[in-house]
Structures are given as structure tokens and as C-alpha cells.
Amino acid sequence: CIIHLIRNTFKLSSKKDWDAMKRAVKPIYTAPTVDAARAALDDLTEVWGKKYGAIIRLWESAWEEFTPFLSYDPEIRQVICSTNAIESLNARYRRAVRARGHFPTEQAALKCLYLVTRSLDPTGEGRARWTMRWKPALNAFAITFHDRWPNAESY
């Protein structure tokens, strides 16, 4: 998983080097092609190889699992790499379910999760404008996974 790869990179480096490491690692996972990512990894090796050999070994050993990630559109990669929104939504779901304890029917549970999702609007007025930042990613998902994506009529 790309998230674990990035997180483990920072676990293996000193906190004082995090800013420089972030600037050195970002070109790898944002590279447009595998060759560009490899060049960025070579740059990382050149700059940090002696001080943080374990980080280089980490990236090298995960390279075969990492390269399919680069075949996705940038919008999909951004969703995969930035799990904050997903983790926040899951935390809100867990909090709502924990507060209620149990549900009499599956429909009641789904209604609860729907209402939690609708309440994500920062204005509290129930507007779904917060989803607008997901539109490019949704379009990329619909194109990439067209065989698994629901038809527009089912929205």
C-alpha cells in the first residue's frame, strides 16, 4: 500500500529531516511515468542513501508493488494517497453507530449512515456542495473502472 510505504519512510527518518525527505519522496509517487519515478528514486538514493539506507531498501523492495499505482490517473492517485477524508468519514460513521448501539432493521442503519453523510456539510444546511472536490476523482474512477461503475441512471 502506498500510504504505508510513505508512512514507513518517515518512521525510518529523523524528525529534523522530515521536510527535506517530504520534498525528496513526493516526486516518486507523483511521477507521471514509471521511468520518471525511477529517476526520482535514484535522486533520493543519491541524496539520502548513505544516511537512510533502510528507506532506500524499503522503496526498492516495494517497487514492483508500487509501480501499478503509477498507471492510475492523478485524480485517483490523490484519493488513494490522501486518506484523511475517508478516515474522517469512517470515524463519523463509527461515532454515530456507537451512540445508537443497535438498529432494529438494516434500513434504519442505512438511514443513519445517510444522515451522517449529509451532515458533513460545514454550513449545517444539508447542502452536498462538499462533494464538488470529489468530482474529478469520481469521473476518473468512472472511466478507469467503467465495468464496475454503476450506470448514470442509477444515481
Side-chain angles (χ1 to χ4, degrees):
C1 180
I2 184 67
I3 298 300
H4 294 294
L5 188 60
I6 294 169
R7 286 180 182 164
N8 287 335
T9 298
F10 291 102
K11 284 181 183 177
L12 294 171
S13 64
S14 174
K15 194 168 188 168
K16 68 178 181 153
D17 293 328
W18 279 4
D19 287 335
M21 187 63 69
K22 179 175 62 174
R23 286 189 297 276
V25 170
K26 188 173 183 177
I28 299 172
Y29 65 86
T30 59
T33 65
V34 175
D35 294 333
R38 187 73 218 184
L41 181 60
D42 292 341
D43 292 343
L44 178 76
T45 302
E46 186 178 313
V47 175
W48 295 102
K50 287 188 179 188
K51 188 171 185 179
Y52 295 116
I55 292 173
I56 305 305
R57 193 171 336 117
L58 174 73
W59 279 90
E60 291 286 349
S61 65
W63 191 254
E64 291 302 316
E65 291 84 23
F66 167 71
T67 52
F69 168 78
L70 296 173
S71 65
Y72 292 118
D73 291 337
E75 294 84 5
I76 294 175
R77 287 196 234 169
Q78 186 175 4
V79 170
I80 292 171
C81 284
S82 62
T83 60
N84 291 345
I86 296 167
E87 289 173 359
S88 173
L89 182 61
N90 285 335
R92 288 177 188 228
Y93 286 160
R94 282 191 304 273
R95 190 176 326 129
V97 169
R98 195 177 320 119
R100 285 157 186 84
H102 69 282
F103 298 94
T105 64
E106 183 177 340
Q107 189 66 24
L110 290 173
K111 183 176 181 180
C112 174
L113 297 179
Y114 171 78
L115 291 173
V116 168
T117 305
R118 294 295 296 177
S119 72
L120 293 175
D121 174 33
T123 64
E125 297 174 5
R127 290 181 290 170
R129 204 173 67 191
W130 61 274
T131 62
M132 295 308 286
R133 64 180 166 227
W134 284 85
K135 294 300 180 187
L138 288 173
N139 284 313
F141 277 117
I143 292 168
T144 304
F145 302 106
H146 60 86
D147 55 331
R148 294 186 267 170
W149 200 257
N151 294 330
E153 298 88 35
S154 64
Y155 287 112

